[in-house]
């Protein structure tokens, strides 16, 4: 919207009362409040979705770390068993909860 000159503003305001102007301000304020509430709701929804995604991602990463940790433990346990046997120790089994 192009800027008005002072003369154009005076002409546009001709015939407006204080009550008319006050009603325009109140209507504008109500529109702004509604838009603000809608925006806040959208932001809240986005934050909730982001928090859910982060939680799911954290669980998935934790699962991958657990899987890799278990795999590493199994590989190390097998090697440790052989090392002890090669050193002459009598070890029959190696595992997590033995």
């Amino acid at each position: 919207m192009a800027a008005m000159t002072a003369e154009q503003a005076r002409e546009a305001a001709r015939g407006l009362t204080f009550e008319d102007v006050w009603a325009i301000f109140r209507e504008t304020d109500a529109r702004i409040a509604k838009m603000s509430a809608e925006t806040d709701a959208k932001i809240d929804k986005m934050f909730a979705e982001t928090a859910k995604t982060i939680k799911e991602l954290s669980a998935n990463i934790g699962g991958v770390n657990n899987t890799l940790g278990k795999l590493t433990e199994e590989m190390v346990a097998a090697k440790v068993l052989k090392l002890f046997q090669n050193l002459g120790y009598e070890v029959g089994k190696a595992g997590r909860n033995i």
Side-chain angles (χ1 to χ4, degrees), residues 41-95:
K42 288 177 185 176
I43 290 171
D44 288 346
K45 182 179 177 186
M46 287 173 23
F47 273 124
E49 290 170 357
T50 301
K52 180 181 175 190
T53 300
I54 289 171
K55 185 176 180 179
E56 290 171 354
L57 184 59
S58 294
N60 288 339
I61 290 172
V64 169
N65 284 339
N66 270 350
T67 301
L68 292 175
K70 288 176 185 176
L71 176 64
T72 304
E73 286 177 18
E74 293 298 322
M75 291 170 54
V76 169
K79 290 290 184 182
V80 168
L81 178 64
K82 285 279 189 199
L83 286 172
F84 279 123
Q85 288 172 341
N86 289 342
L87 292 172
Y89 294 100
E90 290 185 32
V91 180
K93 290 184 179 181

Side-chain angles (χ1 to χ4, degrees), residues 16-62:
L16 288 177
T17 65
F18 173 81
E19 289 76 18
D20 295 333
V21 173
W22 187 248
I24 292 169
F25 277 122
R26 288 181 38 192
E27 182 181 317
T28 302
D29 188 48
R31 280 194 221 156
I32 291 171
K34 181 181 176 190
M35 288 174 24
S36 179
E38 290 169 354
T39 301
D40 287 349
K42 288 177 185 176
I43 290 171
D44 288 346
K45 182 179 177 186
M46 287 173 23
F47 273 124
E49 290 170 357
T50 301
K52 180 181 175 190
T53 300
I54 289 171
K55 185 176 180 179
E56 290 171 354
L57 184 59
S58 294
N60 288 339
I61 290 172

